[in-house]
Amino acid sequence: MKAKSVLMGMLVGGAAAGIATLLAAPKSGYETRRTLKANKDEYIGSIKDIKDAVVELKNTVSSASKEGKASMQTFITDVKTVIWEWKQETEENKKALQEDIKELEHSISDLESELADNSTSK
């Protein structure tokens, strides 16, 4: 939608600039009309070239947008896959760490019991 607005603005601005140039021209109206008639085909050719360039630009922007969208979807899928794999890999480590923590807690409680027994026996 923005590209269409920009292109429309460029065309309207170009037309306005052309009209302003004609009105500010140092030639009389008759000479200006005669020059316009003489160069009519050249102007029409230029307008057709501009139209073709605009259509080509529109097609290029459209295809680039589609390619970008496809690339983003691929990127998002890849990121999700990597995150899932990372979670799977860390899950085993998480379980092992939880078991180690339980063993450490058990060892600490055993040591506390031994220290409590030793201090009461002295």
Side-chain angles (χ1 to χ4, degrees), residues 39-107:
N39 295 323
K40 177 178 82 170
D41 292 334
E42 184 180 329
Y43 295 141
I44 290 174
S46 296
I47 290 172
K48 286 181 182 179
D49 290 342
I50 290 171
K51 180 186 171 193
D52 292 341
V54 168
V55 168
E56 184 179 341
L57 177 64
K58 177 188 162 223
N59 292 337
T60 302
V61 168
S62 176
S63 67
S65 174
K66 289 176 185 176
E67 289 174 10
K69 184 177 179 181
S71 295
M72 285 302 292
Q73 288 175 342
T74 302
F75 174 74
I76 289 170
T77 302
D78 290 347
V79 168
K80 286 180 178 180
T81 302
V82 167
I83 290 172
W84 182 82
E85 289 173 353
W86 177 78
K87 283 183 178 180
Q88 296 301 315
E89 290 174 5
T90 58
E91 188 65 32
E92 293 177 17
N93 292 336
K94 180 181 169 184
K95 290 178 182 177
L97 286 172
Q98 287 174 342
E99 289 176 10
D100 290 344
I101 289 172
K102 285 181 183 178
E103 289 178 17
L104 285 172
E105 288 174 345
H106 182 69
S107 296

